[in-house]
Amino acid sequence: MKQPDIKALKKKAVQLRKDILTMLENAGSGHTGGSLSLVEILTALYYYKVKHNPRDPEWKERDKVILSKGHGCPALYAVLADSGYFPHEELASLRKLGSRLQGHPQRGLPGVEVSSGSLGQGLSIANGIAFANRMDKIKSKIYCILGDGETNEGQVWEAAMTAAHYKLNAVCAIVDYNKMQIDGFCCDVKNMEPFSEKWRSFGWHTKEVDGHDIKALIEALDEAEKVKGKPQAIVAHTVKGKGISFIENQVKWHGIAPKKEELEKALLELDETLKKI
Ligand SMILES: Cc1ncc(C[n+]2csc(CCOP(=O)(O)OP(=O)(O)O)c2C)c(N)n1
Ligand SMILES: [Mg+2]
């Protein structure tokens, strides 16, 4: 197994946060908090774990990442552009009329595996792909990223039962467990605790990690890949709005974009973070 350069990946995460905030400010709308909480999860996936080829996005043997919490797509777009799926300049077209980079991901943009945004559906789609791959004897891993609020959706738990029943060990769910959703804290809206125990009792191999610790995420992903006969859930403890002091843990930052002065302030903070890596 290749050795990850954790320092380089941490720097990458800072650059991705800059791209995310810049494109959101330019769009004038979008989901800031839930994009920033995703960054290390996507970094560990795309720059370490996922078997993919940006020059051949439809390569049959590729692993697939499904962003079930589709509103976090600015983070996905930043990673896909940086990986070479489309030109970096295209990030400036986020949420513009006729753009391939809509407010929720759409098939048609290279690297987007599934159109998403209507919460609760991604895991069922992951199961379907895993089933099809099993029939076609294609060895590929299907990663499905869910929001914690998203798991209020009953369909998630139907899919969780299905994946365990059919022993879909190609499926790995990663929950961006930032403890918040659109209207407030998850524990107030609909408490999902004990959360990891739920996944475990549904028959999943379950691991909790610090979702901003790239090394811990990588270890959890490596562990998940070795599991036989069970789907795997990685419950990644994250902070909504991670990385920017005045955005972290603020409900109001769920669905708004930074204004020009806020962007400038945020970019300065990220420069400081970069110096400390
Ligand atoms: C089926 C459905 N219902 C409602 C919404 C509106 N919505 C968008 S984001 C969101 C909150 C999701 O919370 P969470 O999954 O925790 O996302 P995060 O905290 O990562 O932003 C809601 C209710 C939606 N996109 N789809
Ligand atoms: Mg959340």
Side-chain angles (χ1 to χ4, degrees):
M1 180 58 76
K2 61 193 169 186
Q3 280 306 310
D5 180 344
I6 301 293
K7 203 170 162 181
L9 294 178
K10 283 184 182 172
K11 288 184 177 171
K12 179 71 79 182
V14 174
Q15 185 53 49
L16 293 170
R17 284 197 167 87
K18 287 186 174 188
D19 286 347
I20 291 165
L21 291 162
T22 302
M23 78 175 99
L24 281 164
E25 189 276 331
N26 184 58
S29 66
H31 295 84
T32 301
S35 298
L36 293 172
S37 59
L38 267 180
V39 169
E40 281 78 13
I41 294 171
L42 290 175
T43 301
L45 280 169
Y46 278 93
Y47 300 100
Y48 172 72
K49 194 72 204 161
V50 169
K51 187 176 68 175
H52 68 131
N53 181 0
R55 285 176 305 282
D56 186 8
E58 297 295 315
W59 173 41
K60 265 196 160 185
E61 307 283 325
R62 72 192 183 280
D63 295 335
K64 292 183 176 171
V65 176
I66 299 172
L67 186 63
S68 191
K69 48 162 278 188
H71 60 278
C73 60
L76 178 67
Y77 297 156
V79 169
L80 293 179
D82 181 66
S83 303
Y85 280 93
F86 52 83
H88 192 266
E89 304 82 68
E90 204 171 336
L91 293 180
S93 72
L94 176 70
R95 288 181 165 239
K96 305 282 187 217
L97 212 57
S99 157
R100 300 194 291 180
L101 276 65
Q102 285 304 307
H104 296 83
Q106 284 181 10
R107 284 284 291 157
L109 180 67
V112 170
E113 297 289 357
V114 167
S115 299
S116 59
S118 182
L119 296 168
Q121 301 178 357
L123 198 55
S124 306
I125 298 170
N127 287 346
I129 295 171
F131 247 122
N133 282 349
R134 182 184 279 178
M135 291 166 80
D136 292 343
K137 300 196 171 16
I138 292 173
K139 281 207 179 342
S140 118
K141 194 90 188 149
I142 317 298
Y143 296 97
C144 180
I145 305 174
L146 302 137
D148 47 2
E150 180 181 12
T151 66
N152 283 177
E153 293 277 357
Q155 185 175 345
V156 172
W157 300 101
E158 293 178 39
M161 281 187 278
T162 303
H165 178 78
Y166 291 102
K167 301 184 171 50
L168 296 178
N169 66 301
V171 174
C172 178
I174 304 168
V175 181
D176 180 357
Y177 198 16
N178 59 26
K179 325 291 184 296
M180 296 173 106
Q181 51 175 283
I182 194 168
D183 287 325
F185 290 91
C186 294
C187 59
D188 297 327
V189 178
K190 193 188 283 183
N191 188 12
M192 300 300 287
E193 290 293 345
F195 193 62
S196 288
E197 281 83 340
K198 280 194 176 60
W199 288 97
R200 212 166 277 127
S201 70
F202 271 67
W204 288 56
H205 175 91
T206 306
K207 178 96 182 168
E208 284 189 60
V209 290
D210 175 342
H212 298 302
D213 180 339
I214 294 174
K215 191 164 174 283
L217 282 163
I218 281 174
E219 283 165 9
L221 290 166
D222 282 346
E223 180 181 316
E225 202 180 22
K226 293 191 192 101
V227 173
K228 304 261 181 272
K230 270 184 176 191
Q232 313 89 45
I234 297 175
V235 176
H237 290 273
T238 55
V239 172
K240 201 152 173 169
K242 176 71 179 178
I244 311 299
S245 60
F246 58 93
I247 301 181
E248 284 186 3
N249 281 319
Q250 304 283 324
V251 174
K252 69 168 184 179
W253 278 99
H254 170 81
I256 57 168
K259 298 193 178 60
K260 197 166 182 295
E261 322 75 73
E262 290 167 328
L263 173 66
E264 282 164 8
K265 227 172 118 188
L267 294 179
L268 286 176
E269 270 196 34
L270 289 169
D271 281 336
E272 288 305 310
T273 308
L274 203 54
K275 281 186 205 157
K276 290 186 206 132
I277 294 174

